[in-house]
Amino acid sequence: EVQLVESGGGLVQPGGSLRLSCAASGFTFSSYWMHWVRQAPGKGLVWISRIHIDGSSTNYADSVKGRFTISRDNGKNTVDLQMNSLRAEDTAVYYCARILSGGSRVFDFWGQGTMVTVSS
Amino acid sequence: QSALTQPASVSGSPGQSITISCTGTSSDVGGFDYVSWYQQHPGNAPKVIISDVSKRPSGVSNRFSASKSGNTASLTISGLQPEDEADYYCSSYTSSSTPYVFGTGTKVTVL
């Protein structure tokens, strides 16, 4: 059974840091680009970052570039999102999702998400 | 990269058909056959219901169909059922530095 389980969310003060993790199981992790997508309360989905199957390439949305860093460990089947200099507007549910390398550009499976609240 | 434009809400009675539009540009929807659609019930993660403009993943009801014309993609739900009440998002691969963009989302209400 395919599973993506996010963890690490919580309450953090503005300017603080948080590290999210997504644990994958039930599929060949190293065959998938991994992505983070967030959803602010009552708002829509926003793509924020992705990492290549071997970690050699990363991309970020302009809104998080320079503050967030995505990484992966194919030995542990995990993808992390280090979030620094957090702002109130980063408050959201953060989902990890996968896209098969060389396949269709579709997020074919999502985790259940982890909530990040940035507030003093 | 701006979000793709969807109507905020669409409603219909059980058994009816509704269509949700998703408008982008030639740099995203119009430029690639990589439009996908996601259904999200409250409190749940999104679930893919359409990939590659019009392909239905295994297990997705054939009441969901989709197409694309120019810079606009469309999702049609036929034979509307109460369980179809949810938020729907389109997404497209893009040629910009932000490789993926989502739509603004559409709340579907079954009257």
Side-chain angles (χ1 to χ4, degrees), chain A residues 37-114:
Chain A
V37 177
R38 71 184 181 186
Q39 185 171 35
K43 303 296 185 182
L45 301 171
V46 177
W47 179 90
I48 58 171
S49 185
R50 72 170 177 176
I51 187 166
H52 186 261
I53 58 175
D54 64 8
S56 61
S57 173
T58 59
N59 299 94
Y60 301 91
D62 289 344
S63 59
V64 306
K65 200 173 294 182
R67 300 187 299 122
F68 289 12
T69 302
I70 189 172
S71 60
R72 69 188 294 161
D73 185 333
N74 284 351
K76 296 180 179 179
N77 288 358
T78 57
V79 55
D80 291 350
L81 187 68
Q82 176 66 42
M83 306 186 296
N84 299 329
S85 303
L86 283 162
R87 308 165 179 165
E89 54 264 36
D90 296 318
T91 294
V93 174
Y94 286 73
Y95 296 101
C96 66
R98 68 177 195 177
I99 292 183
L100 180 63
S101 179
S104 173
R105 314 286 173 93
V106 58
F107 301 96
D108 69 346
F109 196 85
W110 300 61
Q112 282 303 304
T114 187

Side-chain angles (χ1 to χ4, degrees), chain B residues 3 14 16 19 21 24-25 28 31 35 43 45 49 53 73 80-82 86 88-89 93 96 98 100 107 111:
Chain B
Q16 287 187 330
T19 297
S21 61
T25 69
D28 38 64
V35 177
I49 56 173
V53 175
L80 202 60
Q81 297 185 2
Y88 292 82
Y89 295 90
Y93 181 73
S96 77
T98 302
Y100 293 90
K107 181 175 181 59
L111 301 171

Side-chain angles (χ1 to χ4, degrees), chain B residues 12-90:
Chain B
S13 299
Q16 287 187 330
S17 294
I18 61 170
T19 297
I20 301 168
S21 61
C22 168
T23 301
T25 69
S26 58
S27 296
D28 38 64
V29 174
F32 305 93
D33 285 336
Y34 290 129
V35 177
S36 49
W37 288 89
Y38 303 86
Q39 178 191 60
Q40 185 181 34
H41 287 107
N44 286 355
K47 169 194 167 187
V48 60
I49 56 173
I50 295 287
S51 68
D52 299 336
V53 175
S54 60
K55 296 180 180 177
R56 255 189 335 270
S58 173
V60 173
S61 171
N62 58 10
R63 297 185 297 102
F64 294 95
S65 62
S67 62
K68 187 185 83 167
S69 178
N71 296 338
T72 298
S74 298
L75 172 73
T76 297
I77 308 176
S78 306
L80 202 60
Q81 297 185 2
E83 59 264 34
D84 299 331
E85 190 160 288
D87 294 323
Y88 292 82
Y89 295 90
C90 60

